[in-house]
Amino acid sequence: MRLTNLLRTTASAAVVGAVAFGFAGAASAQDGQDRATTVDDIIVTAQKREQNLQDVPIVVTSLSQEVLEDAGVRDIKDLQILTPGMTVTSTSSEASTTARIRGVGTVGDNPGLESSVGVVIDGVYRSRNSVGFGDLGELQRIEVLKGPQGTLFGKNTSAGVINIITEAPSFTPGFNAEATVGNYGAMAVSGSVTGPISDTVAFRLYAGRRLRNGFMDIDTGDGPRSETDDNNQDFGTVRGQLLWLPNDNASIRFIADYSSRDEYCCIGTQIRTGPTYPFIDALSVGPGQRPPAAGFGMLPFSRTGYANRSSGQEVEDKGWSVEANFDMPSFLGGSTLTSVSSWRKWTSSLGQDIDYTGADIAYREQDGDYGFSVENVTQEFRLAGANDSLDWLVGAFVTNEDIGRTDSWYFGADYTPFLSFLLSARLNAANPALPISPNTIGCYTRAAQTPVGFGTCLATGGAIGGGGPGFIVGQGFEDRYEQGSTSVALFTNNTWHVTDAFDVTLGLRYTMDEKTLRGQQTNTNGNGATCGAALANAAAIGAVLGANTPTVLGNFCLPWSNIAFNNRSVDEDFDDSELSGTIKASYRLNPSILTYVSYARGYKSFGYNLDRVQAGITPVASTLFPSEVVDSYEIGAKMTLLDRSLLLNATYFDQTFDNFQLNTFLGTAFVVESIPELTSRGVDADFLWFSPVEGLTFQGGVTWTEAEYGAFTAADLASPGNFPQLSLLPGATASFAPEWSGTLAINFDRNVRDDLRVGFSLAGKYMTEYNTGSDLLPAKQQDAFATLNGRFLLGSVDERWTAEFWVQNLTDEEYIQVAYNAPLQGSAFQSTIQPNGTYYNPALDSQTYDAFLGAPRTYGATLRFKY
């Protein structure tokens, strides 16, 4: 009974410390899941202490287990419907998942780029959003912290933190299981069991499996792709835990988990098909892509995509963590020592149809040569204590991380004729006497080509005077990168209770980072010879094409076909350090109103672009990009009204990011460029109301955001040659930064008989228009839209059984996640400044635009059992 009673209270410092530091063993050991009925019941660990939400001078959206379950939240992407000012998107695979808060985040396609929004699961930081994307299992609560949180949560939390707390082992035996069926062939099963092993050890074991057919219909064109749908789901998770309470002064929690995905994802579809459509159509079986609209306008929404190659993805994630909390002797101030150790390894093996058409132009095989891995070890120590006037905390954090990236490129049989179509069409526009032909590549690459021979070859569509090599069919390159990182940080966070009503908090963190990059870029099967042959004929080509020659030759020596990358070694080292921190002052006007002001400085580490990057046709000497810092100011009020049943919080924020790390796709490669300044200012407002109607609650919020880039020119960039593709950014609203974002969740759960309860929930989110492209091209704009999830339940009063009927995206809202430039299919930016002062002219935009789509309406039923 001693341990059971101990777990049912928070009297012990060890248990308090456990809950405060994300251990959560004590709270979850209570019988059942006692639902909050007043604002005073809402406990968060945003400052790594157990505190009431209304006592924390930070913008926190706290989401309980009930709210998460009612909204159908299974992963961080689902979470956005409950969180105003947050978006979560995936691009070419689920391995490229990105969270953004207040319009600030990091595009996830480059593993060398660390996250702006940190994901923390049970006290352990996941260094990439994709590593935190998966089935979260049994959730106790999720806290979304907005603004820089680096003092306590470390680097790479410059935009915020998603703090996830899962269910811990209980000494009260329990079992639950659920089964789900839904449209698109969805099926899911999961279950958990918990209970004591001995008087001092408890366990919890969770396992789940989910299956679903794809949302997209795929036209496979030339083949050999056999899958006719895409964006399916097939993954499983197992998670085991042990809780050991060796005595009244110690608690140790061990967690091990494993998950795997074996799916095919993600094919984009055309939202605007440009003038290159006839060439795709000529080379593919069937149309090859969506036919263009009149005048090459925007296309209506469609869930039909085109891909002749497979988009398989295999992702494996495994790791363990140990959190130990020890009450220190009274002569040490009654403090609590916390140790958090973790190891995690995440790997992916991906396939990709690069051009997203039915033509066989370019692709990546799922053979282990395309994907990336992250392996890290972390150790954190914290010592925390409190007395009447001071809450203090000091700590140290160390992490060692290894990132491996393999990249591969395959030329399809249609690559050479497609490039010939593109080049000859460009020449035909200037000189209609030159035919559009799929056979002109040999004109450029014929050995010892002469001006006369080259001109004759172009004039005959390659029939006379050609014969030079085209691009190889098959694998063109195989690159490997290894990035090592060591980070050490010392930190402290202290709150001085100046009076009963007035608190001052000071936090500091000093971080030291060191990174190394080793890589080998290798052309295979003679790739690069076509580029070399064209360069050798530069004089003859120049005699005929004149000023167009550099642009034409650049098409032969794109990053994947450039001879300059053959057997090229990459070897770089860099280290940096940064002092970050926060100062907050809070004043309680009365027991119901807390006001506060704060300043925080956040830090996001430097890194390397793990890709082929070139300026013109010359590989850049270094792919290093500098660290990003943010200065954030907030002023807010937290109000608890109506007899502690109504929460109203509002905060004004003003954030300035220096050297904002922007990862953008330039149509040929992803490039990281540091933008000199990005500001994000606005208002966050949240409410929660436990209404007088038994079992009925309302929760929601509104965020107004004005996120804008500062003015800059080409001279302000590390690579001035990137400015044309970024010329729409100066002074413009950042991508994924809707001006208004609002959420509302209505939950009702009530006993209607002694043996029966009923309930329903509605969760909705509205966002005004925003651009989904990091280059801000107008075609990538997403109009304002709203999504709505609903659920109806019927079950026993003791929750032994519950039947739920649910629907996600109830109105079947059609929206895009991310739009992007289809590779090699036209161009949006020009080579000279246009009348509007940028390099973009809508009248000259020949680009085909593709997009990754949001999920359609899904519905189904779930049956739960609990004992």
Side-chain angles (χ1 to χ4, degrees):
M1 289 298 295
R2 175 181 63 84
L3 288 171
T4 302
N5 291 334
L6 175 66
L7 285 167
R8 292 177 183 275
T9 68
T10 54
S12 162
V15 175
V16 171
V19 176
F21 297 105
F23 174 55
S28 67
Q30 297 175 1
D31 289 326
Q33 290 302 321
D34 297 333
R35 293 187 175 92
T37 57
T38 72
V39 175
D40 294 333
D41 295 331
I42 303 172
I43 303 301
V44 297
T45 53
Q47 296 191 117
K48 298 203 174 182
R49 298 178 182 275
E50 187 183 41
Q51 295 174 282
N52 180 265
L53 174 63
Q54 297 302 84
D55 293 334
V56 180
I58 299 173
V59 179
V60 182
T61 299
S62 180
L63 303 167
S64 67
Q65 180 189 62
E66 179 188 14
V67 170
L68 295 167
E69 190 172 278
D70 288 344
V73 173
R74 294 288 189 177
D75 54 45
I76 62 173
K77 190 181 287 186
D78 296 333
L79 181 64
Q80 59 187 322
I81 197 168
L82 296 172
T83 311
M86 185 176 85
T87 61
V88 184
T89 58
S90 297
T91 52
S92 56
S93 76
E94 298 290 14
S96 302
T97 298
T98 300
R100 301 171 179 83
I101 292 177
R102 295 173 174 173
V104 179
T106 301
V107 177
D109 296 89
N110 185 346
L113 194 60
E114 301 188 37
S115 307
S116 295
V117 177
V119 176
V120 177
I121 301 178
D122 291 323
V124 178
Y125 171 69
R126 305 292 178 94
S127 63
R128 304 294 185 277
N129 285 172
S130 54
V131 180
F133 179 73
D135 190 342
L136 297 175
E138 298 176 290
L139 296 171
Q140 186 185 101
R141 70 179 184 275
I142 295 179
E143 303 163 3
V144 180
L145 287 58
K146 299 180 180 179
Q149 305 297 328
T151 302
L152 289 172
F153 288 94
K155 63 173 184 173
N156 308 326
T157 58
S158 53
V161 168
I162 301 171
N163 188 27
I164 299 166
I165 299 95
T166 68
E167 284 282 24
S170 171
F171 282 84
T172 302
F175 165 80
N176 67 68
E178 68 175 57
T180 295
V181 294
N183 62 336
Y184 291 97
M187 295 183 292
V189 293
S190 65
S192 74
V193 59
T194 187
I197 296 176
S198 70
D199 287 344
T200 60
V201 179
F203 80 99
R204 180 178 290 273
L205 179 64
Y206 168 85
R209 178 79 190 281
R210 283 199 270 167
L211 301 169
R212 194 202 63 230
N213 296 331
F215 294 146
M216 296 285 294
D217 296 319
I218 303 300
D219 185 320
T220 60
D222 292 356
R225 179 187 173 111
S226 59
E227 302 90 10
T228 56
D229 67 338
D230 197 73
N231 294 55
N232 78 323
Q233 195 172 80
D234 183 356
F235 68 83
T237 300
V238 62
R239 180 183 178 88
Q241 303 182 58
L242 291 175
L243 168 60
W244 180 31
L245 300 177
N247 53 54
D248 288 350
N249 300 314
S251 58
I252 300 171
R253 183 184 181 187
F254 173 78
I255 304 173
D257 64 89
Y258 175 85
S259 64
S260 66
R261 312 176 75 103
D262 188 359
E263 304 165 338
Y264 35 97
C265 184
C266 305
I267 297 297
T269 189
Q270 290 77 42
I271 58 174
R272 188 249 191 177
T273 302
T276 58
Y277 170 76
F279 313 142
I280 300 291
D281 185 33
L283 294 171
S284 63
V285 175
Q289 62 184 170
R290 299 182 67 192
F296 299 110
M298 300 301 291
L299 293 165
F301 191 90
S302 172
R303 293 193 182 277
T304 297
Y306 294 80
N308 71 297
R309 295 288 178 170
S310 181
S311 54
Q313 61 171 16
E314 294 180 6
V315 178
E316 184 180 67
D317 182 21
K318 55 188 174 183
W320 57 261
S321 66
V322 178
E323 179 167 338
N325 294 276
F326 304 96
D327 281 354
M328 306 306 289
S330 57
F331 65 83
L332 292 177
S335 58
T336 299
L337 175 65
T338 299
S339 169
V340 182
S341 309
S342 77
W343 170 85
R344 180 154 299 276
K345 185 173 184 179
W346 185 97
T347 60
S348 65
S349 176
L350 312 173
Q352 183 183 37
D353 188 307
I354 294 172
D355 51 281
Y356 298 108
T357 74
D360 191 27
I361 297 176
Y363 60 99
R364 290 178 167 105
E365 285 277 13
Q366 188 186 357
D367 56 5
D369 285 340
Y370 176 53
F372 73 94
S373 64
V374 180
E375 182 174 8
N376 58 23
V377 177
T378 69
Q379 177 60 56
E380 183 173 35
F381 292 105
R382 298 189 298 265
L383 185 65
N387 54 43
D388 291 340
S389 62
L390 182 68
D391 298 338
W392 57 271
L393 181 151
V394 294
F397 177 79
V398 179
T399 181
N400 183 271
E401 180 176 78
D402 292 314
I403 296 175
R405 181 174 189 249
T406 55
D407 194 10
S408 179
W409 176 287
Y410 283 75
F411 293 90
D414 294 332
Y415 185 91
T416 295
F418 181 65
L419 185 60
S420 177
F421 272 134
L422 296 179
L423 295 177
S424 59
R426 184 179 303 167
L427 297 178
N428 173 266
N431 181 3
L434 298 177
I436 300 175
S437 168
N439 302 311
T440 63
I441 295 301
C443 303
Y444 298 85
T445 60
R446 180 175 180 171
Q449 182 66 280
T450 65
V452 173
F454 179 63
T456 301
C457 190
L458 293 181
T460 60
I464 300 174
F471 295 86
I472 60 100
V473 176
Q475 189 178 41
F477 74 71
E478 183 178 1
D479 294 348
R480 298 187 179 277
Y481 306 90
E482 296 289 340
Q483 177 181 292
S485 172
T486 300
S487 181
V488 179
L490 302 174
F491 59 93
T492 183
N493 196 73
N494 311 283
T495 299
W496 175 31
H497 307 295
V498 182
T499 69
D500 289 343
F502 181 46
D503 290 347
V504 176
T505 298
L506 175 65
L508 293 172
R509 190 180 189 102
Y510 184 66
T511 304
M512 297 161 283
D513 283 330
E514 181 180 358
K515 293 184 179 180
T516 62
L517 174 63
R518 305 290 182 264
Q520 187 66 37
Q521 297 166 329
T522 306
N523 292 343
T524 59
N525 297 320
N527 178 35
T530 309
C531 163
L535 293 177
N537 289 328
I541 296 170
V544 176
L545 302 184
N548 291 321
T549 301
T551 300
V552 170
L553 290 177
N555 282 273
F556 283 83
C557 301
L558 293 166
W560 50 82
S561 59
N562 194 338
I563 194 172
F565 284 104
N566 190 34
N567 292 325
R568 181 174 180 267
S569 296
V570 178
D571 191 344
E572 299 192 53
D573 299 270
F574 194 74
D575 61 80
D576 193 13
S577 60
E578 183 71 26
L579 179 66
S580 56
T582 185
I583 183 168
K584 304 180 180 78
S586 62
Y587 184 75
R588 187 166 288 282
L589 299 176
N590 56 51
S592 298
I593 301 177
L594 176 78
T595 60
Y596 66 93
V597 294
S598 70
Y599 163 77
R601 183 173 178 84
Y603 163 68
K604 184 177 174 206
S605 177
F606 63 93
Y608 296 100
N609 192 357
L610 308 184
D611 207 345
R612 293 188 169 201
V613 183
Q614 58 188 48
I617 61 173
T618 302
V620 299
S622 173
T623 62
L624 176 73
F625 49 86
S627 301
E628 171 187 304
V629 296
V630 55
D631 292 299
S632 174
Y633 300 87
E634 294 185 359
I635 180 169
K638 294 193 170 188
M639 295 172 283
T640 308
L641 308 173
L642 299 182
D643 196 26
R644 319 297 289 178
S645 67
L646 176 64
L647 173 156
L648 286 176
N649 297 339
T651 300
Y652 172 78
F653 60 88
D654 191 322
Q655 306 174 140
T656 300
F657 294 79
D658 293 326
N659 289 325
F660 176 70
Q661 296 167 359
L662 181 74
N663 189 30
T664 188
F665 181 59
L666 301 183
T668 57
F670 286 96
V671 173
V672 180
E673 185 63 69
S674 292
I675 306 302
E677 182 179 277
L678 169 67
T679 60
S680 174
R681 57 178 62 91
V683 175
D684 276 312
D686 294 285
F687 82 94
L688 172 62
W689 182 34
F690 298 96
S691 79
V693 178
E694 181 184 347
L696 180 62
T697 62
F698 299 84
Q699 181 169 359
V702 175
T703 298
W704 171 71
T705 306
E706 185 181 77
E708 295 181 347
Y709 293 110
F712 64 90
T713 65
D716 297 314
L717 301 179
S719 298
N722 291 335
F723 184 74
Q725 288 85 2
L726 302 176
S727 61
L728 291 174
L729 271 61
T733 299
S735 58
F736 295 97
E739 183 178 11
W740 290 97
S741 172
T743 64
L744 176 63
I746 305 171
N747 297 297
F748 176 76
D749 193 330
R750 183 173 178 177
N751 300 340
V752 294
R753 292 189 338 207
D754 290 342
D755 60 349
L756 187 67
R757 85 183 206 279
V758 298
F760 71 87
S761 67
L762 289 172
K765 184 173 187 178
Y766 171 78
M767 292 189 287
T768 55
E769 65 180 10
Y770 58 90
N771 198 293
T772 68
S774 52
D775 52 15
L776 300 183
L777 285 164
K780 301 176 182 180
Q781 191 82 356
Q782 168 60 52
D783 293 335
F785 72 102
T787 52
L788 182 66
N789 296 348
R791 188 170 298 248
F792 173 79
L793 69 85
L794 186 71
S796 64
V797 171
D798 60 6
E799 300 186 16
R800 289 293 181 93
W801 67 270
T802 303
E804 296 182 354
F805 306 91
W806 51 266
V807 58
Q808 307 284 91
N809 191 6
L810 176 64
T811 59
D812 201 19
E813 188 71 28
E814 298 174 341
Y815 64 98
I816 63 175
Q817 292 192 77
V818 179
Y820 58 95
N821 299 357
L824 296 175
Q825 298 166 51
S827 59
F829 293 100
Q830 308 305 310
S831 58
T832 58
I833 296 178
Q834 300 301 296
N836 62 5
T838 74
Y839 285 79
Y840 177 72
N841 186 335
L844 302 178
D845 185 350
S846 62
Q847 181 68 55
T848 290
Y849 295 97
D850 294 349
F852 301 109
L853 306 180
R857 176 170 52 218
T858 57
Y859 53 85
T862 299
L863 187 61
R864 305 179 194 274
F865 298 95
K866 182 177 181 181
Y867 295 97

